[in-house]
Amino acid sequence: MSEQDISKTPSVLSEEPGILVIGLGLIGGSLLAALRDAGYAGRCFGVDLNPNEVSLGQRMGLIDDGGPDLAAFLPYVSLIVLAVPVMAIAPVMAQLSQLRRHGQVVTDVGSTKSAIRDQIRSALGRVPNWLVLGHPIAGAEKSGVEAANPTLYQHHRVIVTPEVDTDPEALRRIESLWRTCGAHIERLTVERHDEVLARTSHLPHLLAFSLVNTLARQDDRLDIFRYAAGGFRDFTRIAGSDPVMWRDIYLANREAVLEALAEFEAGVSELRTAVAGGDSDAMLGIFSRASHARHYFDRLLSQKSYQVMETRNVMYRASAGGQVRGNIRVPGDKSMSHRSIMLGALAEGVTTVEGFLEGEDSLATLQAFREMGVAIEGPQAGRVVIHGVGLHGLKQPKGALYLGNSGTSMRLFAGLMAGQSFDVTLTGDDSLNRRPMGRVADPLRLMGAVIDTGEGGRPPLTIRGGQRLAGIDYDLPMASAQVKSCLLLAGMYATGATSVREPAPTRDHTERMLTAFGYPVTRHEDVAHIEGGGSLTGGFIDVPADISSAAFFLVAASITPGADLTLEHVGINPTRIGVINILREMGASIELLNERKVSGEPVADLRVRHAELHGIDIPADQVPLAIDEFPVLFIAAANARGTTRLRDALELRVKESDRIKAMADGLEVLGVVNTVVEDGIDIVGGRYQGGEVESLGDHRIAMAFAVAALRAEGDITIRDCANVATSFPNFPALAGDVGMQVEVVSEGA
């Protein structure tokens, strides 16, 4: 489903001379109230068989005129809304088909689209192309025009279900109508609409009616209701809705409701078994999945968080200038957060993780394991407790595993899932589904995995279970920690040994963490080696602050006069410190303080102060060690004397975006001279201006240009920044804490 862009459709205020609502209840009345509130000056008419509703609508100022006969008002309107009960739509449509004038457009508000479509086809022989079936996802327990609420549709979704031959102009006008009321528009097929609504609306109402009815028939019902707490009140509130309306809905959407009810009954049976058997892990798994899903629902409503990034248009306005001073701790290391969940879930026993990154990518990994039956507590203030199920204890998820924007999750999951007994599909957001996955799929196939990919070797990946994997010796064609990790994880499920040779060193978190979980990985020069058939043992993981996140502040302090910043508890794994090495070679002042080891990983506090940077030829051996940090390193280069040259960086072409091209385009907007080559870029440092740049949905590019504003001669506007939440959910706030000025706004604001 795809939400349409509100800003691109003209308002109904300027194009519809008259509107007729047939059925002056809560929904129709609220639509009229919203239009009036928005300044609609055209004539509004209402048709209702109840004269009291018509009179009340006129007294409330919702309609100019009304009555029981729709023919009396059709000559004066261009748009007609059917807000009558589902079972009454067909006869009204039959009458409209005879009386409708050229150019008039019709829509409805019914909650069961298949039944309505079938009725119309039966009455008219087809669905007219001037009819746009729709359904606002909004309501209240009160009914009648007296309950009309002008804000009922604001920030709520309206689903439209056009047919293949629906008139595009009719569709545009109906979507414009709802946008004028403040609603968000989504398009679904009729069948998909009914499936979704059966589960998210019809089933909850059915259960509420059933529970209240059951308790109301008890002998001690007065005490039951007297002592019922808020949870009972909240859950059963919807049982106060119109019984006749809901009877008609269940009759109209019977098959989809019965299917949803069967799924619910299976879930209740599973929970009953867990309670009866005292199975605490099973109960925790069910409750934690439900709790996370409920929080996710809250985020959906506020459009804040993961799995809704594609529907959010977030923009940064980074003010020119600022300072960088203080002591801060950036979020936990994303690479380690992913791996701690993966290995903890596959371990025997309980694993406790501290410092877990509560960003979109890591949460997607966590949720994927919940969907495969792993009981996980948290995250709570960075603490996660994982009740491992062992290497062979995962269960088949009900549907595809959604991995958000996380390329790490996609590639590492491919290795883990290749060894399972069940089929699974891996998918992600639009950005992730554009990234090539052949680099993991091809070597996994050499091990015996069966993997289907989308067009061009891209996600979704469908991995067939039950395959016998065999270890391989594999030479990586280019340095990639994700591909190496994928093959090592698959190697746990393979017979024999798996060896991966790297053309250059890459981050070794997987090897270190496997060893920490009791599964040894040996290393000889450039080859990592693992034997199949072992096991993992749960334990404690302390995730240090992510050096990739710290990199933005390392550069920010380095380029800002007077800066003095300390970054606390940062991971300084030797395979990750390319950014420090490169900045130091450019002249940066970076001190490593209080060096220590935490959960097998080296950690330090980093003190960085302003220094005059100079351009360098970036050493080839440092490129793999700083592959994620180059967007912000390009900003350092733009502030250095002379030219900085990068080569041997083809990997940057296949990250979340083509980072070389995307950064070059943005630097050019700011007036930074640069020359792109196939495997790198030359950047000439100097003064630069402000401007508007595109991040292309790449979180690291968005944050890099926010840092650039510290030395720009004007403000920098950065578009498409929602995915910053994948790795650094509190970046704007933390930037503000040290003296930067990064404002988060919705695009178009």
Side-chain angles (χ1 to χ4, degrees), residues 371-440:
E371 291 175 12
M372 291 188 287
V374 181
I376 301 174
E377 302 174 52
Q380 179 66 41
R383 186 173 191 269
V384 180
V385 179
I386 309 158
H387 298 256
V389 297
L391 280 174
H392 301 281
L394 297 178
K395 298 176 182 177
Q396 184 170 23
K398 296 293 186 183
L401 294 179
Y402 178 86
L403 303 177
N405 188 247
S406 178
T408 299
S409 295
M410 179 72 73
R411 295 185 177 101
L412 270 60
F413 265 82
L416 290 175
M417 296 300 101
Q420 303 304 319
S421 60
F422 49 81
D423 295 354
V424 66
T425 296
L426 308 176
T427 190
D429 68 6
D430 285 346
S431 171
L432 180 57
N433 285 346
R434 288 194 298 268
R435 293 183 229 169
M437 292 294 155
R439 290 188 299 151
V440 293

Side-chain angles (χ1 to χ4, degrees), residues 21-61:
V21 173
I22 303 175
L24 290 177
L26 168 72
I27 300 300
S30 295
L31 172 62
L32 292 165
L35 292 174
R36 292 297 199 201
D37 222 41
Y40 175 62
R43 301 192 71 192
C44 293
F45 302 94
V47 168
D48 200 288
L49 297 178
N50 185 339
N52 293 329
E53 294 288 271
V54 173
S55 297
L56 184 56
Q58 288 180 290
R59 290 199 301 273
M60 294 173 66

